[in-house]
Amino acid sequence: MTTANRSTDLSPTSGQPSRWRVLSWQVAGLLIILGLWWLVTDVLKVYPPYVFPGPKAVWTEVSYGLWGTGPQDGKLLGAIGGSLRRVLTGYLLAVLLGGVVGLLMGAWLPLRATLGAYLTGIQSVPSIAFVPFAILFFGLNEQAVLFVVILEGFIPVALAVSGALLNVPPALRVAGRTLGARGLGLTLRVLLPASVPNVLTGLRTAWSFAWRALVGGELLIAGVKSLGEQLEIGRNTANVALVLATIIIIGVIGGLFDTLLRAAEARVRRTYGLEVQS
């Protein structure tokens, strides 16, 4: 490859591969995975279809569930709507609660030294471990799922906000105090705006935790339209294609939201001069 050709594949300022080249790699990787899947299941038939169905059978379940008139006739669409409503409600509440607690921890050392350490410990507990407690406390209903989602989203936000406030360059604190900002005013008008890039990283982590906690909670809560319920239906009816279709939909939705948050994070970082345009 010539020097001229290489220059078109790399970002002119950062030396990173261009977006289109990264996208082409991702599409090629997806095609390779689908090809290997088809080869193993439909050509070589390594496993029987009821154990490991091929891409066509899974796509059939997706089409039935989203827009078809087959066995699942639109049930996947309703499940997606129910899960999105539940996770967005829990995530927004977690961001609100975590933001307030993070601000308090960033401003008050005793709270940061005590509550911060406990939150770090609780964060290491898998979300599925809280589901039995949530069921016993709230019952077999949506409140139990929301509790787990809020808990898993709240902790990363609180720790991210607290940590971001502590990582603000000392020069900004000095400048703010020199201009007369003190206490809460210094936090809200100087420290918090300077912390936005790091806070966004915490929001993205919180989304990932909340999404995984949602599906884990829905698996054990019967009677609500959800992607977790679809996984349970697939397991109870030995419909592996439906299970795989639901797993793929969960991954696609989670990936789309993560991509949106990454784009917002990159845009803010460029605005703050922390990242160059690629």
Side-chain angles (χ1 to χ4, degrees):
M1 181 181 292
T2 66
T3 303
N5 286 336
R6 283 198 298 269
S7 65
T8 60
D9 295 332
L10 301 177
S11 168
T13 53
S14 64
Q16 297 297 318
S18 68
R19 292 177 182 176
W20 289 112
R21 183 162 190 180
V22 172
L23 181 61
S24 66
W25 290 344
Q26 293 171 341
V27 172
L30 176 62
L31 293 176
I32 291 173
I33 291 172
L34 289 175
L36 291 174
W37 183 6
W38 172 76
L39 182 66
V40 169
T41 56
D42 292 340
V43 178
L44 300 178
K45 300 184 186 302
V46 176
Y47 301 98
Y50 59 87
V51 174
F52 188 23
K56 184 179 179 181
V58 174
W59 174 250
T60 299
E61 287 294 336
V62 172
S63 61
Y64 282 162
L66 295 183
W67 57 77
T69 56
Q72 291 298 315
D73 57 353
K75 289 184 178 178
L76 269 177
L77 199 59
I80 291 171
S83 290
L84 283 179
R85 175 181 57 77
R86 218 165 282 121
V87 74
L88 290 177
T89 302
Y91 179 69
L92 292 176
L93 290 174
V95 169
L96 180 63
L97 184 61
V100 173
V101 173
L103 279 175
L104 294 175
M105 288 200 307
W108 193 27
L109 177 59
L111 185 64
R112 185 167 65 251
T114 53
L115 183 59
Y118 299 143
L119 291 181
T120 303
I122 295 173
Q123 193 179 29
S124 65
V125 179
S127 61
I128 196 71
F130 292 104
V131 175
F133 169 77
I135 292 175
L136 291 173
F137 193 84
F138 294 98
L140 285 167
N141 50 44
E142 281 200 17
Q143 284 73 27
V145 180
L146 278 176
F147 169 78
V148 179
V149 172
I150 293 172
L151 180 65
E152 287 297 304
F154 151 75
I155 297 176
V157 174
L159 294 177
V161 172
S162 173
L165 291 176
L166 295 178
N167 289 325
V168 172
L172 289 178
R173 293 176 182 269
V174 174
R177 287 172 179 151
T178 302
L179 294 174
R182 294 287 187 278
L184 185 61
L186 178 68
T187 300
L188 295 179
R189 298 168 63 183
V190 178
L191 302 184
L192 190 57
S195 307
V196 169
N198 290 328
V199 171
L200 281 176
T201 303
L203 295 183
R204 189 160 56 81
T205 304
W207 161 258
S208 175
F209 280 29
W211 184 237
R212 284 183 290 182
L214 172 84
V215 178
E218 288 177 342
L219 270 173
L220 303 178
I221 307 294
V224 295
K225 286 185 178 179
S226 66
L227 290 169
E229 183 190 40
Q230 290 299 305
L231 290 173
E232 272 298 282
I233 291 174
R235 184 181 70 87
N236 292 331
T237 58
N239 187 347
V240 186
L242 175 60
V243 172
L244 289 176
T246 307
I247 290 173
I248 291 172
I249 289 173
I250 291 171
V252 169
I253 294 175
L256 286 176
F257 273 85
D258 185 75
T259 300
L260 289 175
L261 291 174
R262 279 182 185 275
E265 182 184 0
R267 187 180 184 87
V268 170
R269 289 180 65 82
R270 286 196 296 271
T271 302
Y272 277 68
L274 300 174
E275 186 175 297
V276 296
Q277 179 74 45
S278 61

